[in-house]
Amino acid sequence: MADMDEQRGPRTGPPEAWVPGGPPRGWRHGPPGWSRRAAGRDEDLESARRARWPWPSTVLLTAFVVIGSGFADHAQAGERAALDPWGRVLLFVSGALLLWRWRHPVAVLGGTVAAVLVYLGAGYPYGPVFLTVAVACFTAVVSGRRYAAWAAMGTLWAGHLLLVHLLYRWLPPAGDDAASWTEEIVVATWVVALLAVSELARVRREQWARERAERARAERRRADEERLRIARELHDVLAHSISVINVQAGVGLALLDSDPEQARTALTTIKAQSKEALGEVRQVLDTLRAPGAAPRAPAPGLDRLPELVEQAADAGLTVTVEGEPPRLSPGADLAAFRIVQEALTNVVRHSGSREARVLVERRAGRLRLLIDDDGPATGADAGGTGNGLAGMRERAAALGGTIEAGTRPDGGFRVLAVLPVEAEEDR
């Protein structure tokens, strides 16, 4: 609730002092454990997956490459050099390097390309050895090292071209001929297809990451909106009730000895007001315990204006209401009620006038709420936090409406709220 200096200054626009301070550090995106845990769930799972060593897939790929190359050796006997222990070591190294593919994708890709080129330069048979390069290339691209992957695959193709067209005369097997250019086209096509598939996977993964980030941002927004809603409800309920209690407590203390019966009436009002405040606070807090559950009691609306008038009368304020409240949607009805409640609370706390006027009217699909008092300002703050006008503005802005608040030329204070009511719902 705004302090007197903030509410009744000469300015009618939203001063910076009216803007409430930011939430505590631990509640940046809602109560602890609400959105932070959910917002980082996907990222934590992804990090945990990356942190694990890919033992099973590496063992299977290495075994497949070594065993499959043995069959390729038999199939290409006489055409390529026989697979000896040194060749099997190269096959094992090219497969074992994949164990580090998520941690060091570029280094692993470079190592597998080097191992495969040495393997081919030694004249060993073609076969599943290229699978290790394919896996390393795919990992590098989807990890974001796309240029390094393109360079490595270009090196592999250029190295293969050099081996089978220029260096074949001095490399095993003896008497080997140059490879056909058709074979080179096949190799180039294989490299391009591998890069294309890897790029497609990378784009898809980035799209998934953006979707996860958007879901996390939306969840944080929902948590922030819920936090602000609960803060506004608690502020409005407590500020109004405690203001009435504060006034009645002062009356009771002043009349305790001279007029015990009047003091008893004040204490009765305090008891009733505190009971009502506890019930509304409990209703707000129930949404924390069971998010999404239906409220146990209907939200207050303008149909409870007579109660506000009665409570203001208990606090020594005479309120005159003009106009009939129209039918509103539940959200607009609650916002209108809280705006009137906050404005009357401010009159009780900050105005020397003991009379206030409330005008409720509908014009061109909009609800106008005009709350006036004749002042003057008393300067009493009664523990105000400076959030009252900011809360009213937030409620109005959430519905596409506006709030104007400021001193009148004659020294009084006026609050004018304009809320859209096009989407009408029967209550």
Side-chain angles (χ1 to χ4, degrees):
M1 187 159 45
D3 294 334
M4 177 56 62
D5 292 341
E6 296 164 352
Q7 287 200 21
R8 301 181 181 272
R11 295 180 295 178
T12 59
E16 293 181 2
W18 289 345
V19 179
R25 292 174 63 90
W27 282 51
R28 183 179 180 88
H29 300 300
W34 266 23
S35 60
R36 285 198 305 252
R37 182 170 60 246
R41 182 166 54 242
D42 291 332
E43 289 79 359
D44 291 343
L45 290 174
E46 180 71 10
S47 299
R49 189 183 71 80
R50 293 292 184 86
R52 293 198 303 265
W53 292 91
W55 283 102
S57 59
T58 301
V59 170
L60 289 175
L61 283 169
T62 303
F64 178 80
V65 168
V66 173
I67 296 174
S69 297
F71 286 104
D73 181 41
H74 289 293
Q76 300 174 39
E79 299 178 10
R80 304 289 294 174
L83 192 61
D84 55 18
W86 169 241
R88 297 184 186 278
V89 168
L90 287 174
L91 292 172
F92 177 80
V93 169
S94 66
L97 284 173
L98 297 177
L99 186 62
W100 289 271
R101 64 183 182 271
W102 288 114
R103 296 173 182 264
H104 308 287
V106 175
V108 169
L109 178 57
T112 54
V113 168
V116 169
L117 287 177
V118 172
Y119 177 89
L120 297 177
Y124 296 122
Y126 293 101
V129 64
F130 292 103
L131 181 61
T132 60
V133 178
V135 173
C137 174
F138 181 87
T139 304
V141 172
V142 299
S143 298
R145 310 317 199 269
R146 48 194 311 218
Y147 297 121
W150 295 352
M153 297 307 292
T155 301
L156 176 65
W157 181 77
H160 181 265
L161 190 68
L162 183 66
L163 290 174
V164 300
H165 286 279
L166 294 178
L167 301 180
Y168 69 93
R169 299 180 182 87
W170 301 279
L171 296 175
D176 194 13
D177 296 327
S180 65
W181 286 103
T182 302
E183 181 179 334
E184 289 307 315
I185 293 176
V186 172
V187 173
T189 302
W190 177 82
V191 170
V192 171
L194 175 60
L195 287 173
V197 171
S198 301
E199 287 290 341
L200 182 62
R202 179 189 62 82
V203 170
R204 186 57 180 162
R205 286 171 66 89
E206 290 179 354
Q207 182 180 353
W208 289 337
R210 287 193 298 270
E211 292 173 355
R212 288 197 300 269
E214 181 59 33
R215 287 196 298 270
R217 285 192 294 270
E219 192 166 349
R220 285 195 293 270
R221 285 195 299 269
R222 287 193 295 270
D224 285 342
E225 291 168 0
E226 182 68 6
R227 175 183 58 78
L228 291 175
R229 185 190 69 81
I230 293 173
R232 284 195 300 266
E233 286 295 310
L234 289 176
H235 174 274
D236 292 347
V237 170
L238 295 178
H240 175 76
S241 300
I242 291 176
S243 294
V244 174
I245 290 171
N246 179 68
V247 171
Q248 292 299 319
V251 171
L253 287 174
L255 301 177
L256 185 62
D257 296 327
S258 60
D259 192 347
E261 189 61 31
Q262 186 66 28
R264 179 186 299 274
T265 301
L267 292 176
T268 302
T269 301
I270 290 174
K271 179 180 179 181
Q273 193 65 41
S274 60
K275 180 179 179 180
E276 180 181 350
L278 287 174
E280 292 200 34
V281 169
R282 186 177 296 111
Q283 180 179 346
V284 173
L285 294 181
D286 280 344
T287 62
L288 289 175
R289 299 189 181 96
R296 299 181 181 179
L302 289 180
D303 56 352
R304 290 181 54 181
L305 271 180
E307 294 182 29
L308 283 182
V309 172
E310 183 179 348
Q311 292 168 4
D314 292 337
L317 180 67
T318 301
V319 179
T320 303
V321 179
E322 299 180 15
E324 287 295 328
R327 292 176 177 176
L328 303 174
S329 65
D333 208 13
L334 174 61
F337 175 82
R338 293 303 188 199
I339 289 171
V340 175
Q341 183 184 54
E342 177 65 22
L344 293 179
T345 300
N346 288 341
V347 175
V348 171
R349 299 181 62 191
H350 302 303
S351 176
S353 174
R354 294 297 86 193
E355 293 185 3
R357 296 173 297 280
V358 177
L359 174 64
V360 181
E361 62 178 352
R362 178 176 177 175
R363 291 184 182 176
R366 290 186 173 270
L367 174 70
R368 297 179 75 253
L369 300 171
L370 186 66
I371 303 94
D372 270 314
D373 72 88
D374 297 328
T378 63
D381 59 19
T385 62
N387 293 334
L389 287 176
M392 286 195 285
R393 286 191 171 87
E394 289 173 359
R395 288 185 183 277
L399 298 172
T402 59
I403 290 283
E404 296 179 10
T407 55
R408 302 199 321 252
D410 58 2
F413 195 79
R414 168 170 293 174
V415 174
L416 172 62
V418 180
L419 306 177
V421 292
E422 287 86 349
E424 233 177 59
E425 293 180 10
D426 291 340
R427 290 180 296 179

